[in-house]
Amino acid sequence: LRLFPWFLAPALAAQGVGGAFPTLQELAQVRVLVASKNLESTPDSPSTLTVFTRAEMRRMGVRSLTDLLNLVPGVQALFEPTEGRDNLLQGRGTPEAYGQSFLLLLDGQRLNEHYTGGFTLANRFIALGNLERVEIIRGPGSALYGSNAFNGVINLVTTRTTDDVTLEATDPEGGRLGLNLHGTVGALEGSGFLQVERDAGDRYEGVFDRFGLQTRTRDPRRSLDAYTRLSWEGAFLQLRHTEHRLEDFYVFRRLDDGWNLDRSSQSHLRLGTEVNPTEGLTGTLAASFMRTTWTYDGRLALAGTDPADLLSGSRLVHDAMEVTADFAWDLGEGHRLNAGASHEQAEIPVAATRSNFDPISGAFLGPYTEFRDGDHRFVEDRARNLHGVYLQHQ
């Protein structure tokens, strides 16, 4: 059940929530960024595109990006039952646990991390409540965007002119509260979004558990999403933070509602400016920092002849810094030249094993311990540098 306060009805009607889906002619007038990094109509875009507008997403009632991707031709987002933390993303016949061949962008910021190469580790439940539209390239986009864009590019474009409140209640023990605000003070423009969500999860009966501890479970989750954008005379600042907590899921076909837990978060900051050095030449210069964290814990074995049950988990921290420059030069007579360059440096400062046993010696420790030294890392401690340039003639 979705409940909208009565005083928001005019705003929602203006967005087309209560009307029909857009016609083909109306969709042809929708302007998109993802195909060439320039705002242009869909017929002029040099890619095979799927576009979802804010009104469409509201009318369809989709709650997450995973739900929306199932409506894209050739794409399937699947639940992985043997590992409750994973969502399989399949495109062009290739199933992937973390969506490694899909690049996810939010207002130009890359959200893929380099541990898996994909985006679902921290963004499988990404919110849609503050999006103006979702643009999807169906097919390769690596010539323009570089790594992780082999099967497609997903560009999330946030709304900057919306004021609304969304209150949604679900049975049992679920709900969502979302808030969009925007305003201007002189030349300063700002928009913000905050959403909190709680979901009791699906109910599973007669579940196989190799330990025989339980035969039924649920997989509840909690989420927090926050985003703000400030702009002033061409300069802009983007700040985002998201958190997700999943409980009581499968870990290697083992159930333990008192222990199995997955927590992830992602924060990013992007600072940039739009430039117009000469007539017909426009561009965007930007620098960004992103941190992704992921922690999971699970029970891997019962005590048996050992002194205690085997508890095991991991904690990972991924950092990425990126500098980008994108330019478009209007050559006239329907010709345009797009060019750009980027540099990204990524590293994983923390890749810690967690257990109540020493993973190397096998010695029982007693307390649940996080091993952060080099010998216990599950990923090599080294930086990764990516350089890219592109040139496109339209």
Side-chain angles (χ1 to χ4, degrees):
L1 173 64
R2 177 177 292 166
L3 305 174
F4 292 109
W6 63 270
F7 56 84
L8 294 177
L12 297 178
Q15 295 174 18
V17 175
F21 286 105
T23 66
L24 189 61
Q25 290 75 18
E26 290 171 334
L27 283 175
Q29 300 306 311
V30 174
R31 304 179 75 191
V32 296
L33 283 162
V34 69
S36 65
K37 300 189 178 184
N38 298 294
L39 198 58
E40 58 196 355
S41 66
T42 50
D44 293 334
S45 300
S47 296
T48 302
L49 295 175
T50 294
V51 182
F52 296 98
T53 64
R54 181 175 181 82
E56 286 181 286
M57 291 186 287
R58 288 262 181 153
R59 183 173 177 85
M60 291 185 293
V62 292
R63 298 175 60 187
S64 69
L65 182 61
T66 300
D67 297 335
L68 190 66
L69 291 178
N70 273 317
L71 304 175
V72 178
V75 178
Q76 286 182 297
L78 310 173
F79 176 69
E80 169 54 74
T82 58
E83 282 294 326
R85 307 187 313 274
D86 294 345
N87 279 11
L88 295 180
L89 185 60
Q90 177 170 300
R92 303 173 69 199
T94 305
E96 299 168 337
Y98 299 101
Q100 298 94 317
S101 295
F102 286 86
L103 177 62
L104 181 64
L105 305 170
L106 178 65
D107 284 341
Q109 169 72 53
R110 293 175 61 101
L111 300 187
N112 292 53
E113 37 74 28
H114 290 274
Y115 171 58
T116 66
F119 66 85
T120 66
L121 191 71
N123 290 295
R124 75 202 92 173
F125 301 114
I126 194 167
L128 304 177
N130 66 325
L131 300 185
E132 184 66 30
R133 63 184 182 276
V134 177
E135 312 166 348
I136 303 168
I137 293 178
R138 306 200 317 265
S142 294
L144 195 64
Y145 288 98
S147 58
N148 309 115
F150 179 72
N151 277 340
V153 181
I154 306 164
N155 187 35
L156 311 178
V157 181
T158 60
T159 179
R160 302 172 191 173
T161 58
T162 300
D163 296 300
D164 67 13
V165 177
T166 299
L167 176 63
E168 181 179 287
T170 59
D171 182 36
E173 301 175 14
R176 176 174 55 159
L177 175 63
L179 174 66
N180 278 294
L181 294 173
H182 89 287
T184 59
V185 178
L188 178 65
E189 299 181 9
S191 59
F193 171 69
L194 177 66
Q195 176 177 291
V196 291
E197 183 174 4
R198 180 184 178 92
D199 188 341
D202 295 315
R203 186 184 301 277
Y204 302 92
E205 303 285 350
V207 178
F208 169 76
D209 170 28
R210 63 179 60 186
F211 294 153
L213 293 178
Q214 58 189 92
T215 60
R216 62 176 59 183
T217 190
R218 302 190 73 119
D219 53 356
R221 69 178 177 91
R222 286 177 280 173
S223 299
L224 167 70
D225 289 274
Y227 180 81
T228 186
R229 177 187 169 96
L230 301 174
S231 60
W232 181 74
E233 295 185 351
F236 61 86
L237 171 68
Q238 299 168 200
L239 295 169
R240 171 181 178 259
H241 179 72
T242 180
E243 296 180 4
H244 302 285
R245 178 186 176 98
L246 292 81
E247 303 175 4
D248 306 342
F249 47 81
Y250 258 136
V251 175
F252 301 124
R253 297 184 179 87
R254 300 169 174 91
L255 278 174
D256 188 336
D257 284 0
W259 192 257
N260 293 357
L261 180 67
D262 181 291
R263 290 151 289 174
S264 62
S265 68
Q266 191 172 76
S267 303
H268 85 241
L269 178 151
R270 187 168 186 248
L271 180 66
T273 184
E274 298 173 355
V275 295
N276 185 14
T278 61
E279 184 178 356
L281 180 62
T282 59
T284 301
L285 306 176
S288 62
F289 172 80
M290 182 178 72
R291 165 162 287 192
T292 303
T293 66
W294 171 64
T295 305
Y296 90 90
D297 299 300
R299 186 184 302 276
L300 293 190
L302 297 181
T305 58
D306 294 326
D309 297 349
L310 172 58
L311 309 176
S312 181
S314 301
R315 190 168 82 90
L316 177 139
V317 177
H318 170 271
D319 292 335
M321 294 177 288
E322 185 180 32
V323 179
T324 60
D326 300 287
F327 290 92
W329 186 15
D330 187 357
L331 303 177
E333 299 182 356
H335 292 265
R336 183 171 60 199
L337 199 63
N338 301 312
S342 65
H343 168 72
E344 182 180 12
Q345 179 175 315
E347 60 181 346
I348 299 177
V350 178
T353 303
R354 299 154 63 91
S355 182
N356 58 340
F357 286 79
D358 188 312
I360 296 178
S361 68
F364 175 62
L365 302 174
Y368 195 59
T369 304
E370 182 172 294
F371 302 89
R372 299 185 60 170
D373 59 281
D375 292 337
H376 290 86
R377 286 181 62 98
F378 58 87
V379 178
E380 285 186 293
D381 186 10
R382 62 172 62 184
R384 186 178 190 185
N385 292 279
L386 294 93
H387 312 277
V389 293
Y390 69 89
L391 183 67
Q392 180 193 61
H393 172 238
Q394 284 184 263

